[in-house]
């Protein structure tokens, strides 16, 4: 992770130099999103947030819906990790709308799963279940078995918390089979 962080930081500097000389900032925007991802994994949430916000600014200027959605998803995850659930929810919902604009079903499904996690953390089980099940249908449509397995497990957890043990068992079995 440290080596990747060094490489992305060097790339960021090179893209900045390129942009300062009249070049496109698309590469810089993408590098900033990747930097945010690394900072998030290293639990450096402040640095992650700054990288995602800068990436979002670049992608917005470029009118790049997919880039904006990815940066917003990253910000949502930072807010989720810092227990800022309302902010996380807002970012995930913004990202979903942008992913819809570009027909990115994986992005939509991932954000719906994260929304489910937000609601699960808030013990809002009905909303969590609804988002997880909607994500599950998208994962099924695009044949993403890992997404299906993980989300089936989430649905099982929600149903278990709702004391719907037989239904929960079905989703846990499905996750295990996948």
């Amino acid at each position: 992770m440290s080596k990747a962080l060094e490489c992305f930081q060097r790339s960021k500097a090179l893209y900045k130099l390129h942009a300062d000389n009249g070049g496109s900032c698309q590469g810089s925007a993408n590098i900033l999103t990747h930097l945010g991802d690394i900072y998030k994994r290293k639990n450096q949430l402040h640095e992650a947030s700054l990288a995602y916000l800068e990436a979002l600014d670049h992608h917005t200027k470029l009118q790049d819906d997919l880039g904006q959605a990815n940066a917003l998803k990253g910000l949502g995850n930072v807010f989720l990790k810092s227990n800022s659930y309302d902010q996380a929810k807002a970012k995930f919902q913004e990202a979903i709308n942008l992913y819809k604009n570009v027909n990115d079903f994986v992005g939509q499904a991932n954000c719906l799963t994260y929304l489910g996690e937000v609601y699960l953390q808030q013990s809002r089980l009905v909303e969590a279940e609804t988002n997880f099940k909607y994500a599950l249908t998208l994962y099924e449509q695009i044949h993403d078995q890992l997404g299906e397995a993980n989300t089936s497990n989430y649905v099982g957890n929600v149903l278990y918390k709702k004391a719907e043990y037989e239904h929960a068992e079905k989703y846990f079995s499905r996750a295990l089979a996948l």
Side-chain angles (χ1 to χ4, degrees):
M1 288 272 261
S2 296
K3 286 197 181 264
L5 183 60
E6 286 176 35
C7 289
F8 280 122
Q9 287 171 333
R10 277 189 304 215
S11 295
K12 177 185 171 190
L14 291 171
Y15 275 116
K16 181 172 178 1
L17 181 64
H18 178 69
D20 289 345
N21 290 316
S24 167
C25 63
Q26 180 70 49
S28 181
N30 292 334
I31 290 296
L32 286 162
T33 301
H34 293 306
L35 272 172
D37 293 342
I38 291 173
Y39 285 131
K40 183 181 65 183
R41 285 183 175 203
K42 292 180 69 142
N43 214 33
Q44 294 176 275
L45 300 182
H46 178 71
E47 291 84 354
S49 181
L50 292 176
Y52 288 131
L53 285 170
E54 192 175 347
L56 181 60
D57 182 55
H58 286 301
H59 286 299
T60 301
K61 287 176 185 170
L62 293 166
Q63 299 178 344
D64 176 8
D65 285 353
L66 181 59
Q68 289 176 70
N70 289 334
L72 286 164
K73 180 181 69 175
L75 276 172
N77 276 303
V78 168
F79 288 128
L80 179 59
K81 282 185 123 185
S82 61
N83 301 325
S84 300
Y85 300 124
D86 289 339
Q87 290 175 299
K89 187 171 77 166
K91 297 304 175 198
F92 292 137
Q93 288 171 331
E94 281 182 70
I96 288 169
N97 289 332
L98 290 165
Y99 283 128
K100 284 179 181 177
N101 287 349
V102 295
N103 294 314
D104 184 330
F105 296 107
V106 173
Q108 290 176 58
N110 290 340
C111 284
L112 286 162
T113 301
Y114 295 135
L115 269 176
E117 286 185 56
V118 167
Y119 288 124
L120 190 57
Q121 292 298 320
Q122 296 176 315
S123 296
R124 295 171 60 183
L125 300 180
V126 172
E127 292 96 335
E129 182 181 356
T130 299
N131 279 279
F132 289 140
K133 284 184 173 179
Y134 185 27
L136 190 55
T137 62
L138 290 176
Y139 286 128
E140 290 168 349
Q141 287 175 11
I142 58 176
H143 307 289
D144 181 337
Q145 289 186 322
L146 180 59
E148 281 184 66
N150 289 331
T151 308
S152 291
N153 190 54
Y154 277 123
V155 174
N157 285 328
V158 170
L159 294 171
Y160 185 83
K161 288 181 182 223
K162 291 171 65 179
E164 296 179 22
Y165 303 120
E166 287 182 30
H167 287 102
E169 183 179 6
K170 289 177 186 174
Y171 280 94
F172 289 139
S173 295
R174 179 180 179 185
L176 188 58
L178 287 164

